[in-house]
């Protein structure tokens, strides 16, 4: 079944194939049973092949999203994070954010505690790029863009 998903993704190079959650659940349950039932060299090699297929599927779908194709299917939310990361990366490198020594000025959107400091919506913080990427994907912060 996983090989069919990879094949379908390869055939449609202009779209991310819509893979329904129930299809994924059936696959996951089948492979989970295989992992639980067997623990020998042959089945371990079989599982490695499935892992390689899953990695190939991820890379194919990721490549399409990076190229600007809208994600859809069971992993839409995960793949959508890539678009957010891409936007921040491009914004950072092109000077679209206020920065200082690799840190980005951000507006806090949700209550949070960061490094033992209570943050409230509306607060302004300066964060390293890696924290910006982590917190923007969960909508805790928004980098402040340079306005002309």
């Amino acid at each position: 079944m996983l090989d069919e998903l990879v094949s379908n993704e390869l055939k449609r190079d202009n779209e991310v194939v819509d893979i329904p959650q129930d299809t994924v659940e059936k696959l996951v349950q089948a492979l989970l049973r295989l992992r639980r039932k067997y623990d020998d060299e042959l089945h371990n090699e079989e599982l490695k092949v499935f892992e390689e297929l899953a990695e190939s599927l991820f890379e194919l779908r990721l490549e399409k999203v990076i190229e600007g194709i809208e994600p859809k299917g069971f992993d839409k939310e995960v793949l959508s994070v890539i678009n957010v990361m891409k936007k921040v990366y491009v914004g950072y490198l092109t000077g679209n954010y206020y920065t200082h020594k690799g840190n980005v000025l951000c507006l806090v959107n949700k209550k949070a505690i960061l490094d033992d400091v209570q943050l409230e919506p509306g607060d302004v913080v300066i964060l390293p790029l890696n924290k910006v990427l982590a917190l923007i994907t969960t909508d805790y912060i928004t980098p402040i863009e340079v306005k002309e």
Side-chain angles (χ1 to χ4, degrees):
M1 185 188 301
L2 196 51
D3 57 330
E4 292 171 5
L5 295 177
V6 172
S7 178
N8 288 339
E9 199 68 47
L10 282 168
K11 289 176 188 172
R12 298 195 193 153
D13 56 349
N14 292 330
E15 69 174 313
V16 176
V17 176
D18 188 359
I19 302 173
Q21 184 64 43
D22 64 324
T23 300
V24 173
E25 287 300 319
K26 289 175 187 173
L27 174 65
V28 168
Q29 291 306 314
L31 292 175
L32 185 59
R33 281 191 299 277
L34 180 66
R35 284 184 188 277
R36 288 180 180 162
K37 189 171 183 178
Y38 300 103
D39 187 25
D40 57 74
E41 188 176 334
L42 177 64
H43 289 95
N44 289 339
E45 289 300 315
E46 182 181 17
L47 287 168
K48 284 182 186 177
V49 170
F50 285 122
E51 289 168 357
E52 289 173 7
L53 285 168
E55 186 174 325
S56 294
L57 182 63
F58 172 74
E59 289 171 355
L60 286 167
R61 293 171 74 80
L62 179 63
E63 180 180 314
K64 290 177 182 182
V65 170
I66 289 171
E67 291 175 356
I69 299 171
E70 189 67 29
K72 57 185 171 181
F74 79 101
D75 55 354
K76 178 181 180 178
E77 288 78 18
V78 173
L79 293 174
S80 293
V81 170
I82 302 305
N83 285 330
V84 172
M85 292 173 66
K86 182 173 144 182
K87 181 182 178 200
V88 170
Y89 185 89
V90 171
Y92 177 78
L93 286 180
T94 61
N96 194 35
Y97 303 132
Y98 292 102
T99 61
H100 178 70
K101 295 184 180 180
N103 296 310
V104 180
L105 193 64
C106 300
L107 181 66
V108 176
N109 300 327
K110 297 178 184 176
K111 277 186 173 187
I113 297 176
L114 186 64
D115 298 328
D116 295 325
V117 175
Q118 177 73 39
L119 301 175
E120 298 289 335
D123 288 350
V124 175
V125 294
I126 189 158
L127 300 168
L129 188 58
N130 65 328
K131 286 190 179 179
V132 171
L133 289 169
L135 294 171
I136 195 172
T137 59
T138 53
D139 197 35
Y140 276 94
I141 55 103
T142 301
I144 298 175
E145 295 183 6
V146 175
K147 302 289 185 200
E148 291 185 22

